[in-house]
């Protein structure tokens, strides 16, 4: 199984330079859709319901204070992804790279796992929260999106 750092390194390698926020959101959507398609985690690290959407604190620790990131800025091995992991990330990149970091963040705020985690934490607006998003909620929400598209 890949790590969040491996997936982020792969995203930067394939997607080119991007903001740290966009990298976080693409990592989240990769995780979520992989969970829906493969019914398993893409990586073991967790996402938390921060004010600007889901954030993987382990990844954030590597790029904290950096706005723009490029290949090599995240310590991870982009070649370590299994075929099914790479396929999930590639599909997400094909469909989500066109969106800005703000648009991706807004997509996470619409409904679903991030909203549920924020509600559990009692967090509103820009309140801080380290409430984890739950895999079962991610799988249920994104699984429903995938089944609608079939």
């Amino acid at each position: 199984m890949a790590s969040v750092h491996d997936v982020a390194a792969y995203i930067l390698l394939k997607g080119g330079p991007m903001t740290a926020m966009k990298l976080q959101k693409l990592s989240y959507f990769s995780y979520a859709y992989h969970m829906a398609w493969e019914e398993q985690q893409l990586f073991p690290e967790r996402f938390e319901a921060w004010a600007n959407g889901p954030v993987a604190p382990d990844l954030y620790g590597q790029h904290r204070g950096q706005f723009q990131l490029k290949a090599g800025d995240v310590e991870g091995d982009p070649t370590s992804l299994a075929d099914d992991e790479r396929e999930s990330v590639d599909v997400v990149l094909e469909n989500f790279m066109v969106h800005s970091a703000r648009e991706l963040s807004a997509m996470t705020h619409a409904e679903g796992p991030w909203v549920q985690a924020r509600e559990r934490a009692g967090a509103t607006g820009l309140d801080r929260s380290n409430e984890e998003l739950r895999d079962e909620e991610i799988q249920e929400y994104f699984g429903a999106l995938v089944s609608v598209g079939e």
Side-chain angles (χ1 to χ4, degrees), residues 29-137:
F29 283 118
S30 295
Y31 182 92
Y33 279 105
H34 186 77
M35 182 73 89
W37 294 321
E38 302 295 331
E39 297 182 356
Q40 63 183 1
Q41 295 177 330
L42 179 58
F43 44 78
E45 294 83 5
R46 312 303 304 149
F47 285 93
E48 295 179 356
W50 291 19
N52 287 323
V55 172
D58 288 348
L59 178 58
Y60 180 78
Q62 275 200 14
H63 64 65
R64 183 181 182 148
Q66 295 176 281
F67 177 75
Q68 190 78 11
L69 301 167
K70 63 186 180 319
D73 285 347
V74 173
E75 292 179 22
D77 181 3
T79 65
S80 70
L81 278 68
D83 290 344
D84 64 325
E85 295 168 340
R86 193 171 29 263
E87 184 179 332
S88 292
V89 177
D90 286 342
V91 171
V92 166
L93 293 178
E94 288 169 21
N95 290 283
F96 288 85
M97 275 299 294
V98 298
H99 298 288
S100 71
R102 294 261 178 241
E103 289 170 329
L104 293 172
S105 181
M107 288 179 203
T108 67
H109 290 207
E111 54 187 87
W114 178 85
V115 171
Q116 291 167 307
R118 299 282 292 173
E119 287 172 354
R120 278 194 306 279
T124 60
L126 295 176
D127 290 347
R128 290 179 180 252
S129 168
N130 62 349
E131 182 72 26
E132 287 187 356
L133 279 68
R134 295 179 178 164
D135 280 348
E136 60 272 11
E137 292 171 348

Side-chain angles (χ1 to χ4, degrees), residues 8-25:
Y10 182 79
I11 290 170
L12 288 169
L13 183 67
K14 295 283 286 193
M18 65 186 69
T19 65
M21 181 190 282
K22 186 167 185 171
L23 178 62
Q24 284 281 348
K25 301 313 168 249

